[in-house]
C-alpha cells in the first residue's frame, strides 16, 4: 500500500487511490450519493477500492469522450472529492450500483491508467480553513438558511431533518456544501463551488445561486396559483350556470343560450339564403346548441353564423334605367370622354331591354388622374346602386380574394365577400382598382382567383373559402381600372372589355379646371367667387409650366396651392377685396415654372429632327440628333434607349445604306467613320418602334447633308424595305406637337382611322400628312436653303415658342406670335 495520510480521525487514508469519473454530477464533502458505475475500467477501479480500504477519488468530467471510448485521464477535472464506498451491488445486466459518502476535497496529480487497467491518481487533501466568527459570517449563514426555508415554502421538497441540521450548523464551509447539494445547478457552477477553497467566497457564491433558485421557484408558484385560480373560477361558473338552469327550469324560463340559438335560427330564416347556404347555417347552429358556451369553438361558430346572416343574399337595389338621366349624371361629373359615356349608356340600354342579361366586365385603362375611379362612382349614381371600391395594387395573397378556411385562427372571408357585406346589396357597382399592379408569391396567385370573379359565366357560383357555400355574383356590376395592359395576365384580360381613356387635351384641362377643380379647391380653402378668380390664362400657365401629366391630379394640386396662399392673406386681414390671378402674376403664387416640356428643335439643322413619343403623362416632342465622325464604322446609340428603339435605329441605318446609290450619297459611307445617334434627356429611359421614321430622317439628313425643317414632326415605325407601319398613342403625340407650335406632322397612312376618331378640337390647325413609305416622306422634310438663309448660317425662319407667361396671359383662341 502507498503512503498513508491521517485526516480527522481517518488514520489510514492512502495518498494514491482509484479515480471514478462522474458524468453530470459533483460530490461534496458530507454528501451521501448513490450512483451507477459502468464500463470495464470503472468496474475494475471499484473492485480495487473494495479490495483495499474502500476509498475512491470522485471527479467530474471536463468533457465527454467519444461514444466508442471510455473516459481517460485527459477528460477528468483535477479537483474532486475523496469518498468512501458505503455499499456496492452488482447488477445482473452489467454495471455496479454503489453508495458513497464524500469526505474531503482533494486535488489529483499524476492521473494515469495503472497496470490493472483502471485510473488512479496521487491525491492531495485540501484542509477546510477555519473561519473566525463575525457578524458578517453569521449574517451570511442566516441569509442562506432563510433562503432555503423560502424555497421550501415555494414548493421545494426537503426533509425536516435537513432544515433542522442546517440551522444548527456552525461551520460556514459545511453549510455551503450541504446547501449546494440541494440546488439544481449547472455542471459548471457545481464544479466552481467544489474548486472554491476560500470558505466565505464559496458561501457567497452559493448565496447568489440560491437567490436565483428562489426567484425561479417564486415565479413557478405564481404561475401555478394563477392556473389553479382560473380552473376554480371556471368550475365555479359552471356550477352557478347549472344552478341557474335548474332555477329557470323550475320557474318555467328559457336558458339564455337556448334563446340565443332561437334568435339565430330566426335570423337565418329572415336572411332569405339559398337552400344550400341555409342548410349550412342551420347545421352550424345545431352544433352551437350542443356546445358549452365557453368552448373555444363556439366563438368561431358564432362569428361564422354572423357573417352568413349579414351577407346580402337576396337584397338587390332597384336599378334606375333612365338613359337621359344617366347621361346627364355622367356629363355633370365628367368633361369629355364621349366614347366612354356612350359605352356605358349602351350597357344600360341593354339592361333596360333585357334585365336578365349578363353585362360585360368593363376595364378602364388610362394614365393616372384621368378620372377612372370617379367614373365608376358616377355609374353607380346613374344606376342608383351602391358603390364599393377594392384596390388590389400590391395584393399577393390569394386568400385576399377567396378568404381563409375556417381551420385557421382568425380566419375571415375574402375582400369580395367583405365588400358585398359593406355595400349591403347583392348588385352594387364593384370597382376593382389597379388590377394591373396585382402580384403573386408563394401564398398563391390572386389574379387566378379573379378569373372566376370576373367571368359572367362562372361567378354565379363563386365560393369563398370561409363561407364555403356558393354566392351569386352575377348581379354585381364589376368595373376594373388599370394604367397599362402589359402587366395584366392574358386569361384575365380576355374576360374584360377594355375601354381606353386617353389623356386630356389642354383645352379639356382648362374646361375641367373651370367647371370642377377651381370651385372645389376654392370651397375647400374657405373662399368664394367674391374673393378669388383664376383667369383662363392663369390655368393655361399652370398646365404648361407647373404640371406634366395626362390627367388633372397635379393641376388640382397646384390650383389648391394658389387658393391656400390667397386664404392665408385673407386670414391675416388683407385689404384686398378680390384676388385676380392671371398669367402675369401666377409666378407670385407658384414660383418659377418647374415642369416644362422637352423643347423642340427651333432651327433647321443637319442631323436634327423632331420625333414624337408617348409617355404615361401624355405626348412629347422627342429631339433626335446624329453626327458623323472619325471611327471604325460603328453605330453608337445613347440616351437610355431600349432594345426596340435600338433595333429601329439599326433598321433605319440598313435602309438608308440600301438607298445610298439611288439618293446619291454613296461616297459618304466610309470604313473610318462612326455614326452617333443621341436622344436628349439621357436620364429618362425610352423605348418603342415609333421613332423609326425620325431615325431614318436624321440619317438621311446626315448623309445627304441637308437640314430638316424645324416646323415639322414625325412618327411611325419602318420596315427594312421602307414601309411606314402604324403606331399607337397618336392623339397624345399630335397634342404634343401642337403644344410646341409644330403644326405639320407626318403620320403613318395606316393610322387614318385613328384620325377619324379624334375630335375636331384635337386636330384643329394641324397639317397632317399621311405617308406609306419613306419615299412619301422625302418631299416634306428638308428645308429650302435660300441665299438669304445661307447668309444667316442656315437659320430658317420658324415658329418660335413664346414664353409660358405670355401664352398663359392670352385667351385660348389666340395663336402665339411668330
Amino acid at each position: 500500500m502507498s503512503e498513508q495520510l491521517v485526516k480527522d480521525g481517518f488514520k489510514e487514508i492512502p495518498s494514491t487511490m482509484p479515480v471514478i469519473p462522474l458524468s453530470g454530477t459533483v460530490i461534496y464533502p458530507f454528501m451521501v450519493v448513490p450512483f451507477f458505475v459502468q464500463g470495464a475500467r470503472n468496474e475494475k477501479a471499484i473492485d480495487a477500492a473494495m479490495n483495499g480500504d474502500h476509498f475512491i477519488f470522485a471527479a467530474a468530467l471536463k468533457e465527454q469522450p467519444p461514444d466508442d471510448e471510455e473516459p481517460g485521464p485527459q477528460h477528468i477535472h483535477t479537483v474532486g472529492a475523496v469518498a468512501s464506498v458505503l455499499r456496492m451491488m452488482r447488477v445482473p445486466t452489467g454495471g455496479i450500483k454503489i453508495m458513497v459518502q464524500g469526505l474531503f476535497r482533494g486535488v489529483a496529480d499524476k492521473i494515469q491508467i495503472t497496470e490493472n487497467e483502471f485510473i488512479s491518481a496521487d491525491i492531495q487533501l485540501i484542509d477546510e480553513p477555519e473561519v473566525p466568527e463575525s457578524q458578517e459570517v453569521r449574517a451570511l449563514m442566516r441569509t442562506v438558511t432563510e433562503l432555503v426555508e423560502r424555497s421550501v415554502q415555494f414548493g421545494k421538497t426537503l426533509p425536516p431533518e435537513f432544515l433542522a441540521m442546517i440551522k444548527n450548523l456552525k461551520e460556514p464551509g459545511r453549510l455551503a456544501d450541504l446547501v449546494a447539494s440541494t440546488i439544481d445547478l449547472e455542471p459548471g457552477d457545481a464544479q466552481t463551488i467544489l474548486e472554491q477553497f476560500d470558505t466565505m467566497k464559496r458561501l457567497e457564491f452559493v448565496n447568489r445561486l440560491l437567490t436565483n433558485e428562489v426567484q425561479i421557484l417564486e415565479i413557478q408558484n405564481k404561475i401555478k396559483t394563477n392556473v389553479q385560480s382560473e380552473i376554480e373560477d371556471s368550475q365555479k361558473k359552471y356550477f352557478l350556470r347549472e344552478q341557474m338552469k335548474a332555477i329557470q327550469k323550475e320557474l318555467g324560463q328559457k336558458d339564455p343560450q337556448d334563446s340565443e340559438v332561437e334568435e339565430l335560427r330566426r335570423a337565418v330564416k329572415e336572411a332569405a339564403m339559398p337552400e344550400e347556404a341555409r342548410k349550412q347555417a342551420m347545421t352550424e347552429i345545431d352544433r352551437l346548441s350542443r356546445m358549452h358556451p365557453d368552448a373555444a369553438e363556439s366563438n368561431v361558430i358564432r362569428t361564422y353564423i354572423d357573417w352568413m346572416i349579414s351577407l346580402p343574399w337576396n337584397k338587390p337595389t332597384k336599378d334606375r334605367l333612365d338613359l337621359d338621366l344617366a347621361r346627364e349624371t355622367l356629363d355633370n361629373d365628367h368633361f369629355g370622354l364621349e366614347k366612354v359615356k356612350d359605352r356605358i349608356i349602351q350597357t344600360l340600354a341593354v339592361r333596360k331591354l333585357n334585365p336578365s342579361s349578363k353585362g360585360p366586365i368593363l376595364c378602364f385603362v388610362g394614365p393616372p388622374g384621368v378620372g377612372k375611379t370617379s367614373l365608376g362612382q358616377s355609374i353607380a349614381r346613374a344606376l342608383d346602386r351602391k358603390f364599393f371600391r377594392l384596390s388590389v395594387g400590391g395584393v399577393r395573397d390569394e386568400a385576399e380574394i377567396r378568404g381563409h378556411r375556417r381551420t385557421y385562427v382568425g380566419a375571415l372571408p375574402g375582400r369580395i365577400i367583405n365588400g358585398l357585406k359593406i355595400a349591403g346589396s347583392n348588385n352594387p357597382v364593384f370597382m376593382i382598382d389597379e388590377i394591373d399592379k396585382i402580384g403573386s408569391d408563394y401564398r398563391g396567385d390572386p389574379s387566378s382567383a379573379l378569373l372566376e370573379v370576373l367571368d359572367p359565366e362562372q361567378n354565379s357560383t363563386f365560393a369563398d373559402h370561409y363561407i364555403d357555400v356558393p354566392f351569386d355574383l352575377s348581379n354585381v356590376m364589376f368595373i376594373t381600372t388599370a394604367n397599362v395592359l402589359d402587366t395584366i395576365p392574358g386569361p384575365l384580360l380576355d374576360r374584360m372589355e377594355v375601354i381606353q381613356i386617353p389623356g386630356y387635351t389642354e383645352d379639356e384641362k382648362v374646361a375641367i379646371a373651370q367647371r370642377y377643380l377651381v370651385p372645389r379647391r376654392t370651397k375647400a380653402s374657405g373662399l368664394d367667387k367674391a374673393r378669388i378668380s383664376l383667369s383662363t390664362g392663369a390655368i393655361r400657365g399652370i398646365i404648361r409650366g407647373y404640371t406634366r401629366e395626362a390627367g388633372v391630379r397635379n393641376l388640382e394640386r397646384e390650383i389648391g396651392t394658389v387658393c391656400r396662399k390667397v386664404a392665408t392673406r385673407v386670414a391675416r386681414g388683407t385689404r384686398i377685396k378680390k384676388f385676380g390671378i392671371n398669367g402675369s402674376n401666377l409666378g407670385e403664387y407658384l414660383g418659377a415654372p418647374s415642369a416644362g416640356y422637352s423643347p423642340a428643335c427651333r432651327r433647321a439643322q443637319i442631323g436634327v429632327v423632331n420625333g414624337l413619343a408617348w409617355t404615361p403623362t401624355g405626348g412629347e416632342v422627342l429631339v433626335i440628333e446624329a453626327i458623323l465622325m472619325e471611327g471604325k464604322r460603328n453605330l453608337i446609340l445613347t440616351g437610355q434607349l431600349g432594345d426596340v428603339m435600338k433595333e429601329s435605329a439599326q433598321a433605319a441605318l440598313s435602309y438608308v445604306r440600301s438607298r445610298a446609290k439611288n439618293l446619291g450619297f454613296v461616297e459618304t459611307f466610309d470604313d473610318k467613320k462612326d455614326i452617333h445617334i443621341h436622344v436628349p434627356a439621357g436620364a429618362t429611359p425610352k423605348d418603342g418602334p415609333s421613332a423609326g421614321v425620325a431615325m431614318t430622317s436624321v440619317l438621311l439628313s446626315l448623309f445627304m447633308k441637308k437640314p430638316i425643317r424645324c416646323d415639322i414632326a414625325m412618327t411611325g415605325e419602318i420596315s427594312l424595305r421602307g414601309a411606314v407601319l402604324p403606331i399607337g398613342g397618336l392623339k397624345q403625340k399630335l397634342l404634343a406637337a401642337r403644344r410646341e407650335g409644330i403644326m405639320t406632322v407626318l403620320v403613318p397612312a395606316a393610322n387614318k382611322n385613328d384620325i377619324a376618331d379624334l375630335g375636331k378640337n384635337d386636330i384643329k390647325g394641324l397639317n397632317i400628312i399621311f405617308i406609306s413609305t419613306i419615299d412619301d416622306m422625302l418631299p416634306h422634310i428638308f428645308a429650302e436653303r435660300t441665299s438669304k438663309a445661307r447668309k444667316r448660317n442656315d437659320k430658317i425662319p420658324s415658329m418660335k415658342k413664346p414664353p409660358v407667361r405670355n401664352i398663359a396671359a392670352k385667351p385660348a383662341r389666340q395663336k402665339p406670335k411668330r
Side-chain angles (χ1 to χ4, degrees), residues 103-246:
L103 301 176
F104 316 106
R105 282 177 169 77
V107 178
D109 188 20
K110 298 181 180 180
I111 304 175
Q112 60 186 351
I113 299 176
T114 66
E115 296 178 355
N116 295 326
E117 298 182 356
F118 64 84
I119 303 174
S120 71
D122 293 342
I123 307 301
Q124 178 185 354
L125 300 181
I126 304 300
D127 293 328
E128 184 74 28
E130 292 186 6
V131 180
E133 288 191 12
S134 65
Q135 291 183 351
E136 182 182 357
V137 173
R138 285 196 296 271
L140 186 56
M141 293 180 66
R142 184 178 298 175
T143 301
V144 171
T145 304
E146 290 174 354
L147 286 173
V148 173
E149 292 175 344
R150 284 188 63 191
S151 69
V152 172
Q153 293 174 1
F154 289 133
K156 191 173 184 66
T157 304
L158 290 174
E161 297 81 4
F162 180 82
L163 296 176
M165 181 176 63
I166 63 173
K167 285 183 179 179
N168 297 322
L169 281 177
K170 302 299 182 181
E171 302 88 350
R174 187 171 183 182
L175 176 63
D177 291 340
L178 283 173
V179 172
S181 65
T182 66
I183 307 175
D184 295 330
L185 298 176
E186 295 290 333
D189 291 336
Q191 184 66 28
T192 300
I193 294 173
L194 187 64
E195 293 179 356
Q196 183 55 262
F197 303 146
D198 187 312
T199 304
M200 289 304 294
K201 289 183 179 179
R202 188 194 318 155
L203 189 58
E204 289 173 355
F205 186 64
V206 170
N207 181 57
R208 287 198 299 271
L209 295 175
L210 186 57
T211 301
N212 184 61
E213 176 81 3
V214 170
Q215 290 175 351
I216 293 174
L217 289 172
E218 186 176 1
I219 295 171
Q220 287 180 340
N221 187 67
K222 185 177 180 180
I223 293 171
K224 289 179 181 179
T225 304
N226 291 340
V227 171
Q228 184 66 28
S229 176
E230 290 177 3
I231 293 174
E232 291 175 355
D233 186 57
S234 177
Q235 290 175 345
K236 179 181 177 181
K237 288 182 180 179
Y238 173 76
F239 286 121
L240 289 174
R241 195 176 292 109
E242 291 300 317
Q243 290 177 0
M244 287 179 61
K245 286 182 180 179

Side-chain angles (χ1 to χ4, degrees), residues 176-393:
D177 291 340
L178 283 173
V179 172
S181 65
T182 66
I183 307 175
D184 295 330
L185 298 176
E186 295 290 333
D189 291 336
Q191 184 66 28
T192 300
I193 294 173
L194 187 64
E195 293 179 356
Q196 183 55 262
F197 303 146
D198 187 312
T199 304
M200 289 304 294
K201 289 183 179 179
R202 188 194 318 155
L203 189 58
E204 289 173 355
F205 186 64
V206 170
N207 181 57
R208 287 198 299 271
L209 295 175
L210 186 57
T211 301
N212 184 61
E213 176 81 3
V214 170
Q215 290 175 351
I216 293 174
L217 289 172
E218 186 176 1
I219 295 171
Q220 287 180 340
N221 187 67
K222 185 177 180 180
I223 293 171
K224 289 179 181 179
T225 304
N226 291 340
V227 171
Q228 184 66 28
S229 176
E230 290 177 3
I231 293 174
E232 291 175 355
D233 186 57
S234 177
Q235 290 175 345
K236 179 181 177 181
K237 288 182 180 179
Y238 173 76
F239 286 121
L240 289 174
R241 195 176 292 109
E242 291 300 317
Q243 290 177 0
M244 287 179 61
K245 286 182 180 179
I247 294 171
Q248 289 167 351
K249 186 176 181 180
E250 290 295 327
L251 296 175
Q253 298 177 354
K254 291 185 177 180
D255 184 9
Q257 186 178 359
D258 295 338
S259 300
E260 181 188 10
V261 169
E262 291 302 320
E263 185 68 26
L264 291 175
R265 292 184 194 277
R266 185 167 55 255
V268 168
K269 292 178 181 178
E270 294 174 355
M273 301 179 186
E275 183 62 21
E276 185 177 352
R278 189 189 66 79
K279 287 182 179 179
Q280 178 71 15
M282 288 300 184
T283 300
E284 295 297 326
I285 292 175
D286 291 340
R287 289 182 60 203
L288 181 64
S289 65
R290 297 190 299 269
M291 195 172 292
H292 192 280
D294 292 335
E297 184 76 10
S298 64
N299 290 328
V300 176
I301 295 176
R302 283 192 187 93
T303 303
Y304 174 77
I305 296 172
D306 288 343
W307 270 101
M308 295 287 283
I309 293 171
S310 62
L311 289 178
W313 297 95
N314 193 20
K315 294 181 181 178
T317 55
K318 187 177 180 180
D319 287 346
R320 182 171 58 197
L321 297 175
D322 186 335
L323 302 187
D324 294 334
L325 182 60
R327 182 65 190 223
E328 182 182 350
T329 302
L330 294 173
D331 288 338
N332 289 337
D333 292 347
H334 293 84
F335 182 85
L337 305 177
E338 298 301 325
K339 285 188 177 182
V340 180
K341 294 176 181 177
D342 290 342
R343 182 63 186 86
I344 294 170
I345 295 300
Q346 293 166 12
T347 301
L348 301 185
V350 172
R351 192 175 292 274
K352 183 176 182 179
L353 298 177
N354 183 11
S356 62
S357 65
K358 296 179 180 179
I361 309 297
L362 303 180
C363 179
F364 297 151
V365 179
V370 296
K372 300 184 294 296
T373 303
S374 59
L375 196 58
Q377 295 173 332
S378 298
I379 294 172
R381 287 183 56 229
L383 283 170
D384 197 20
R385 287 191 180 191
K386 301 291 182 65
F387 177 79
F388 182 81
R389 186 185 75 90
L390 168 63
S391 177
V392 295

Side-chain angles (χ1 to χ4, degrees), residues 523-535:
K523 183 178 179 180
S525 302
L527 304 172
D528 53 29
K529 293 182 180 179
R531 276 291 191 180
I532 183 174
S533 67
L534 269 79
S535 68

Side-chain angles (χ1 to χ4, degrees), residues 706-752:
K706 292 183 178 181
I708 296 178
R709 292 169 54 186
C710 59
D711 61 344
I712 193 170
M714 59 197 70
T715 181
E717 181 181 356
I718 64 161
S719 71
L720 282 175
R721 289 173 291 184
V724 179
L725 307 178
I727 46 84
L730 183 60
K731 177 182 177 180
Q732 289 80 2
K733 293 176 180 179
L734 294 178
L735 295 177
R738 192 171 71 172
R739 183 185 65 236
E740 295 293 337
I742 300 173
M743 308 307 289
T744 302
V745 184
L746 301 182
V747 174
N751 285 101
K752 278 186 179 181

Side-chain angles (χ1 to χ4, degrees), residues 471-780:
F471 192 97
D472 187 1
L473 299 179
S474 60
N475 295 322
V476 179
M477 185 175 185
F478 285 103
I479 299 174
T480 64
T481 69
N483 296 128
V484 294
L485 295 175
D486 301 341
T487 56
I488 302 177
L492 187 60
L493 184 62
D494 185 59
R495 283 164 166 77
M496 301 182 291
E497 179 180 339
V498 177
I499 298 179
Q500 295 283 352
I501 302 181
Y504 295 112
T505 65
E506 184 176 305
D507 292 339
E508 288 173 337
K509 290 182 180 180
V510 171
I512 291 170
Q514 292 173 335
R515 185 180 297 185
Y516 305 105
L517 306 184
V518 173
R520 185 159 64 210
R521 300 318 305 173
T522 299
K523 183 178 179 180
S525 302
L527 304 172
D528 53 29
K529 293 182 180 179
R531 276 291 191 180
I532 183 174
S533 67
L534 269 79
S535 68
T536 302
I539 296 173
R540 290 188 183 276
I542 295 174
I543 294 171
R544 294 175 181 177
Y546 299 91
T547 64
R548 187 185 182 92
E549 58 179 345
V552 293
R553 192 169 290 161
N554 288 329
L555 175 59
E556 182 175 6
R557 190 175 294 119
E558 296 298 332
I559 292 173
T561 301
V562 173
C563 292
R564 287 194 300 275
K565 291 193 175 182
V566 171
T568 302
R569 297 178 66 177
V570 171
R572 287 178 173 174
T574 181
R575 295 182 180 180
I576 301 175
K577 294 184 178 180
K578 185 173 183 178
F579 290 84
I581 291 89
N582 51 47
S584 60
N585 64 358
L586 184 61
E588 298 176 10
Y589 297 91
L590 295 180
S594 57
Y597 291 86
S598 301
C601 173
R602 297 298 170 188
R603 181 169 61 89
Q605 303 175 63
I606 294 174
V608 182
V609 67
N610 291 322
L612 296 173
W614 177 92
T615 70
T617 59
E620 281 197 43
V621 174
L622 206 63
V623 178
I624 301 176
E625 306 170 339
I627 59 172
L628 201 63
M629 57 187 177
E630 298 295 328
K632 298 180 179 180
R633 202 173 183 178
N634 294 322
L635 175 61
I636 303 171
L637 302 171
T638 56
Q640 282 247 41
L641 308 185
D643 292 338
V644 177
M645 201 166 183
K646 290 178 180 178
E647 291 174 359
S648 295
Q650 292 282 358
L653 180 59
S654 298
Y655 172 77
V656 169
R657 281 179 168 165
S658 69
R659 296 291 307 277
K661 186 175 181 181
N662 296 338
L663 296 175
F665 54 86
V666 177
E667 66 279 359
T668 306
F669 291 107
D670 189 344
D671 289 342
K672 296 183 180 179
K673 297 288 186 180
D674 282 350
I675 303 168
H676 188 164
I677 298 178
H678 177 67
V679 184
T684 305
K686 311 168 190 69
D687 204 359
S690 62
V693 168
M695 294 278 192
T696 305
S697 300
V698 77
L699 289 173
L700 288 172
S701 169
L702 192 64
F703 293 135
M704 298 174 70
K705 299 181 180 179
K706 292 183 178 181
I708 296 178
R709 292 169 54 186
C710 59
D711 61 344
I712 193 170
M714 59 197 70
T715 181
E717 181 181 356
I718 64 161
S719 71
L720 282 175
R721 289 173 291 184
V724 179
L725 307 178
I727 46 84
L730 183 60
K731 177 182 177 180
Q732 289 80 2
K733 293 176 180 179
L734 294 178
L735 295 177
R738 192 171 71 172
R739 183 185 65 236
E740 295 293 337
I742 300 173
M743 308 307 289
T744 302
V745 184
L746 301 182
V747 174
N751 285 101
K752 278 186 179 181
N753 292 333
D754 296 332
I755 297 294
D757 291 338
L758 298 178
K760 292 182 179 179
N761 291 330
D762 297 334
I763 58 176
K764 183 178 179 181
L766 289 176
N767 177 26
I768 300 175
I769 301 173
F770 296 101
I771 57 175
S772 299
T773 64
I774 296 299
D775 290 336
D776 297 338
M777 175 190 71
L778 293 177
H780 305 285

